[in-house]
Amino acid sequence: MARKKIIAGNWKMNMTPSQAVALVNTLKPLVVNEDVDVVFCVPAIDIIPAMEAAKGTNIQIGAENMYFEEKGAYTGEISPAMLTDVGVKYVIIGHSERREYFAETDATVNKKVLKAFEHGITPIICCGETLTQREQGITIDFVRQQIKIAFLGVTAQQAATAVIAYEPIWAIGTGKVATTEQAEEVCKAIRDCICEIYDEATAETIRIQYGGSVSVSSAPELFAQPDIDGGLVGGASLKPDFGAIVNYNK
Ligand code: PGA
């Protein structure tokens, strides 16, 4: 069975709640494509107003982060139950910016992934190498390690529902998109890794996105690759461009 594409916007630290409502209203007529699951991952404070604005559309609102404890003395954090209480079904876990600026590690990513599954939230699990690692020729080894740790203790049944976002760090926000061959090579290696950890069926079901300077012009070729099931889109998700990216196949 063909995997349904999933194209997610990652708004990062952009858009106040009122701007979020305006952006959802602008984008909602543009992101209609029944071949694609469309997710807007937005800042926590924007989740509720964005959901209100997206009511009755095909847009699902996701979160950009979540903590791995249930509740308690963790000032500033958002719990899984806070997300599910308002109907959030997707959460980005382990984005490279969280790893770089907020000290997230493969181990904390794993804890968050397990917690998301426990609460029925689909994690969009990010991985990807630095430019130095690519130049050293260790991209695939490095990404395989990130994936193996992220999925420790995750069952095959859970893993099949996960989303992985392969985002080479050197391509994020730089306008320097990976070539189609580079993106497909790593996404295929990730699928092979999932097959090794679990089995063929899980590997064939899990969805793997490419992220890093996805644009209207690069999306069609990237998303046509056999192992690329959509994208995680930063900058271009804040613009009407996102409508054309979601409709890459039209
Ligand atoms: P970008 O961001 O599309 O702006 O490169 C992608 C991401 O960080 O998810």
Side-chain angles (χ1 to χ4, degrees):
M1 203 187 74
R3 293 179 292 273
K4 190 172 184 190
K5 300 282 182 199
I6 176 164
I7 301 178
N10 172 11
W11 287 12
K12 309 192 178 185
M13 197 175 74
N14 294 294
M15 301 292 143
T16 64
S18 44
Q19 290 169 335
V21 170
L23 183 58
V24 171
N25 285 332
T26 303
L27 291 179
K28 63 187 176 190
L30 307 177
V31 296
V32 179
N33 182 350
E34 59 199 26
D35 305 330
V36 174
D37 285 333
V38 179
V39 186
F40 289 13
C41 295
V42 306
I45 199 165
D46 294 344
I47 290 173
I48 293 172
M51 268 185 175
E52 288 291 317
K55 229 175 225 157
T57 74
N58 61 321
I59 301 167
Q60 307 217 50
I61 302 298
E64 296 178 13
N65 182 31
M66 181 198 90
Y67 200 50
F68 54 72
E69 294 290 352
E70 291 294 331
K71 62 175 180 170
Y74 305 102
T75 303
E77 292 296 319
I78 307 281
S79 77
M82 291 171 190
L83 297 180
T84 54
D85 187 72
V86 297
V88 168
K89 302 215 166 54
Y90 292 92
V91 61
I92 298 174
I93 300 289
H95 189 279
S96 62
E97 289 149 17
R98 302 277 335 154
R99 295 178 191 252
E100 183 179 354
Y101 306 128
F102 304 99
E104 294 205 4
T105 63
D106 289 336
T108 59
V109 167
N110 176 239
K111 286 185 185 177
K112 291 182 176 194
V113 166
L114 291 169
K115 197 45 101 176
F117 280 125
E118 204 182 296
H119 286 262
I121 307 173
T122 299
I124 299 175
I125 304 162
C126 299
C127 60
E129 81 287 2
T130 62
L131 186 58
T132 310
Q133 289 165 332
R134 176 158 286 271
E135 286 169 355
Q136 288 174 323
I138 60 169
T139 295
I140 288 179
D141 287 343
F142 180 75
V143 169
R144 279 172 55 88
Q145 172 161 319
Q146 287 183 316
I147 294 298
K148 286 192 174 179
I149 299 174
F151 282 84
L152 277 175
V154 174
T155 67
Q157 207 182 3
Q158 290 170 331
T161 68
V163 178
I164 295 173
Y166 165 57
E167 299 202 304
I169 295 171
W170 49 271
I172 295 177
T174 56
K176 202 176 161 196
V177 64
T179 66
T180 306
E181 293 70 30
Q182 287 171 328
E184 166 62 18
E185 183 194 20
V186 183
C187 289
K188 177 167 192 318
I190 292 169
R191 199 174 303 286
D192 291 345
C193 183
I194 293 294
C195 186
E196 279 170 39
I197 303 171
Y198 300 101
D199 49 52
E200 189 103 15
T202 308
E204 284 307 312
T205 311
I206 198 167
R207 293 187 290 181
I208 304 175
Q209 300 172 315
Y210 167 79
S213 298
V214 172
S215 64
V216 177
S217 59
S218 59
E221 200 179 294
L222 283 165
F223 300 168
Q225 299 310 303
D227 291 292
I228 302 181
D229 306 313
L232 183 57
V233 184
S237 73
L238 301 169
K239 300 187 283 194
D241 279 15
F242 196 57
I245 292 173
V246 167
N247 285 285
Y248 75 97
N249 62 339
K250 300 285 152 111

